[in-house]
Amino acid sequence: MIAVDSPRFLSFVPAAPTQASALFDALVSCSSVQGVSWLLASGPIAAENQVLRLLADLAGMPTAAGGCFVSGGSAGNLSALVTARDTARHRRGPGRYDRVRFAVSDQAHSSIGNALRIIGVEPFTVPTVDHRLTGPALRAALLTAPHPSDVIGVAATAGTTNAGIIDDLAGIAAVARDFDLWFHVDGAHGGAGLLAPSVRHRYRYRDIEHADSLVIDPHHLSRRARGLPLWFSLAVHGTRAYSEAIEKALTLARDPATLIRNTPYLELIRDPELSAVLFRRIGWTSEDYAEWSARLLAGQTAFVAPTGWEGETVARFAFLHPETSWR
């Protein structure tokens, strides 16, 4: 392997983590910390929200701006463009299969084109001026294009990966306002420049605060080797151990299902096929289930979250850990 965090790594745009971030990443991994919801991880999510607020403030975005961390710039662009497409359909009224397009330049990162193909949106390619997408070029393209009304947004780049070029964000923002376009800024590389006073206040970043969506992630090609933990665990324990662990989880579901079936005040909703057990407490309301769940969690007995089933709140066991005991 090539160490992408080496000071001599001078190709692509990888991560350059601090020792503090590397150490805390190890802590997150070994503790299996999940950032799924406030209920599961209010502390980590509160910390992430502080970082998101910092980035939004650097970009000059309003206090109502929000965001989330994803696996990399490509996933960030995909998330933003999906939001742009769905917002346009809601506001403008095109049908699910009506043609919609997104304005891009020939210098946009490949993840922009890939995302558009995935979500069924056609690219509306605008010629660049010295490899930079500008507001006048975008306006001219829209005024001369047939059916410009099906263009729903524009993707600008704040720092191309090849040359670090920042598009004419101010000009593009003005055109986006005039034509009611979603204004997306791919700052996966150059967005980090917002932290550098020497370039942050230059005209190139002006009006970035008008972006409807902004991606900041200074490391493309950033997919971690997520398969290695599973590979090593399989190498240590073998596939038979995994089979036994999964069988244990399935057994854990069958035995409580039998107990529930034989308890007068409980009702098994359906026989478990895998390791999930759906059941109801006869006469309980959604408030009763929520109180029961909170009481189990507060007493460190278990975490059992209620779920919805055909419009009704019910209880659900999801067995996974082979060392869980139901008695």
Side-chain angles (χ1 to χ4, degrees):
M1 60 171 286
I2 299 176
V4 298
D5 57 348
S6 166
R8 298 187 183 187
F9 189 97
L10 304 176
S11 186
F12 310 134
V13 188
T18 64
Q19 289 186 356
S21 67
L23 288 172
F24 207 79
D25 194 28
L27 175 64
V28 169
S29 297
C30 71
S31 302
S32 190
V33 175
Q34 305 295 317
V36 177
S37 67
W38 187 267
L39 177 64
L40 292 180
S42 58
I45 289 178
E48 288 186 346
N49 284 343
Q50 290 182 17
V51 180
L52 292 168
R53 185 66 262 161
L54 169 66
L55 297 177
D57 288 343
L58 287 171
M61 289 184 160
T63 56
C68 64
F69 285 89
V70 294
S71 60
S74 296
N77 282 326
L78 175 61
S79 301
L81 295 179
V82 166
T83 304
R85 179 201 63 186
D86 292 350
T87 300
R89 284 177 174 166
H90 176 72
R91 291 179 178 174
R92 299 188 178 196
R96 181 177 180 181
Y97 299 106
D98 290 342
R99 182 193 193 201
V100 289
R101 296 184 290 171
F102 219 89
V104 298
S105 78
D106 56 5
Q107 301 298 306
H109 189 261
S110 59
S111 63
I112 296 289
N114 292 337
L116 292 178
R117 283 191 292 273
I118 290 171
I119 66 176
V121 175
E122 296 182 19
F124 175 69
T125 305
V126 179
T128 56
V129 178
D130 190 24
H131 302 88
R132 177 178 288 111
L133 179 62
T134 67
L138 174 61
R139 188 182 299 274
L142 290 170
L143 291 175
T144 58
H147 311 295
S149 60
D150 60 21
V151 179
I152 61 173
V154 55
T157 302
T160 59
T161 53
N162 267 346
I165 297 172
I166 302 174
D167 286 339
D168 172 24
L169 302 182
I172 296 169
V175 177
R177 287 193 298 271
D178 292 344
F179 286 82
D180 190 25
L181 304 178
W182 182 281
F183 179 31
H184 172 62
V185 176
D186 177 9
H189 173 33
L194 291 170
L195 281 162
S198 62
V199 296
R200 176 185 172 188
H201 299 296
R202 291 179 62 187
Y203 71 97
R204 293 297 184 199
Y205 283 95
R206 187 164 59 86
D207 282 5
I208 195 173
E209 66 271 15
H210 295 299
D212 295 295
S213 54
L214 169 65
V215 170
I216 298 179
D217 171 18
H219 46 278
H220 281 293
L221 305 174
S222 52
R223 185 187 75 84
R224 296 181 63 196
R226 299 297 299 272
L228 288 184
L230 176 58
W231 166 81
F232 189 65
S233 184
L234 285 167
V236 171
H237 299 288
T239 56
R240 179 177 298 179
Y242 270 79
S243 296
E244 293 173 352
I246 294 170
E247 290 291 356
K248 178 66 179 299
L250 297 176
T251 301
L252 284 169
R254 299 185 191 110
D255 292 344
T258 300
L259 178 63
I260 293 169
R261 192 182 295 110
N262 296 330
T263 302
Y265 55 85
L266 299 178
E267 182 180 348
L268 185 67
I269 294 176
R270 60 186 299 127
D271 289 328
E273 296 181 36
L274 294 174
S275 62
V277 181
L278 285 173
F279 65 100
R280 63 171 60 89
R281 174 77 179 255
I282 298 174
W284 269 18
T285 65
S286 58
E287 290 78 14
D288 293 321
Y289 286 106
E291 181 183 353
W292 171 66
S293 175
R295 188 169 62 251
L296 289 176
L297 182 59
Q300 298 291 290
T301 302
F303 177 57
V304 183
T307 190
W309 177 258
E310 297 184 344
E312 173 192 6
T313 301
V314 298
R316 173 178 176 267
F317 291 145
F319 295 100
L320 178 65
H321 203 296
E323 295 181 8
T324 299
S325 173
W326 68 276
R327 293 185 181 275

